[in-house]
Amino acid sequence: TVTVAAISMAVPDTSPFRFHADFRTVVILKQLKRFDEAAAMAKQMLASNQADWDAWGIAAGVFADAERFDDAVSTVEDGYKKFPERHRLLFLKGVYQEKAGDRDGCVETMRRVIVADPTNSSALNYLGYLFAEKGENLEEAEKLISRALELKPDDGFYLDSLGWVLYQRGDYDKALPMLEKA
């Protein structure tokens, strides 16, 4: 049986394909839930001058899947410093902040994403749902989710979020059809 490490090691360190081999190895190890090995390989991968923004997102995903959310946050922060035009990394930071229990940090980060990219429907919905889930800032939540729905009108997740806002406000007659549509 050929191991994942054996496949990766078959590519010499001097090969122009070394980064790509490491990247694919990280993805495979992550899928196999071999998180310690994936994290070690991710660190090696990120040391490459070929590491692009997606590599930082994959590496953070390894930590998140291993429920090492603080490591996931710091990894996407480092990636975003290198690739500040890639707002997806900032969005992921907010997601991992919430999972780490830093709800206030998540809210602040999602607001930063929306300022940097007002058409980021994922961030609009995420922040809106975060509020709806707690039954707070429901007016703002509705505005955020409605903006997300303007961008992606048939997105079931966004429809569900708006339905939940309406439910939280006690507007059951509007909430039910929205939730059914979702």
Side-chain angles (χ1 to χ4, degrees), residues 123-177:
L124 291 163
N125 182 68
Y126 200 97
L127 184 56
Y129 187 79
L130 201 62
F131 292 146
E133 187 178 46
K134 297 282 187 186
E136 62 187 33
N137 301 340
L138 294 177
E139 186 175 317
E140 181 182 5
E142 183 176 3
K143 287 178 184 175
L144 290 164
I145 297 164
S146 293
R147 282 178 44 208
L149 280 165
E150 287 172 13
L151 297 164
K152 293 186 178 178
D154 296 319
D155 189 295
F157 292 107
Y158 302 174
L159 293 166
D160 177 74
S161 296
L162 184 55
W164 191 238
V165 168
L166 296 168
Y167 177 86
Q168 289 285 59
R169 285 201 329 226
D171 198 346
Y172 306 122
D173 291 338
K174 289 183 182 175
L176 183 60

Side-chain angles (χ1 to χ4, degrees), residues 39-66:
M41 182 62 69
K43 287 181 182 180
Q44 178 179 320
M45 173 186 69
L46 294 179
S48 169
N49 62 0
Q50 289 180 293
D52 59 5
W53 74 272
D54 198 34
W56 292 91
I58 292 293
V62 168
F63 292 122
D65 286 358

Side-chain angles (χ1 to χ4, degrees), residues 12-111:
D13 287 342
T14 57
S15 170
F17 301 107
R18 174 82 254 160
F19 168 77
H20 300 289
D22 290 347
F23 186 97
R24 283 168 179 70
T25 302
V26 169
V27 171
I28 291 167
L29 290 168
K30 181 178 180 288
Q31 289 174 336
L32 293 172
K33 299 186 183 333
R34 292 167 51 183
F35 299 123
D36 290 339
E37 293 169 83
M41 182 62 69
K43 287 181 182 180
Q44 178 179 320
M45 173 186 69
L46 294 179
S48 169
N49 62 0
Q50 289 180 293
D52 59 5
W53 74 272
D54 198 34
W56 292 91
I58 292 293
V62 168
F63 292 122
D65 286 358
E67 297 185 2
R68 293 171 51 186
F69 299 115
D70 291 336
D71 290 332
V73 169
S74 65
T75 300
V76 291
E77 281 178 338
D78 291 345
Y80 190 64
K81 287 175 190 170
K82 291 180 180 288
F83 301 98
E85 73 285 357
R86 296 300 184 164
H87 307 299
R88 176 75 181 160
L89 292 172
L90 190 58
F91 173 80
L92 289 173
K93 176 185 174 183
V95 170
Y96 300 147
Q97 284 174 306
E98 183 199 10
K99 291 180 184 289
D102 181 9
R103 188 172 183 279
D104 292 341
C106 172
V107 168
E108 179 183 324
T109 299
M110 289 300 165
R111 289 192 189 285

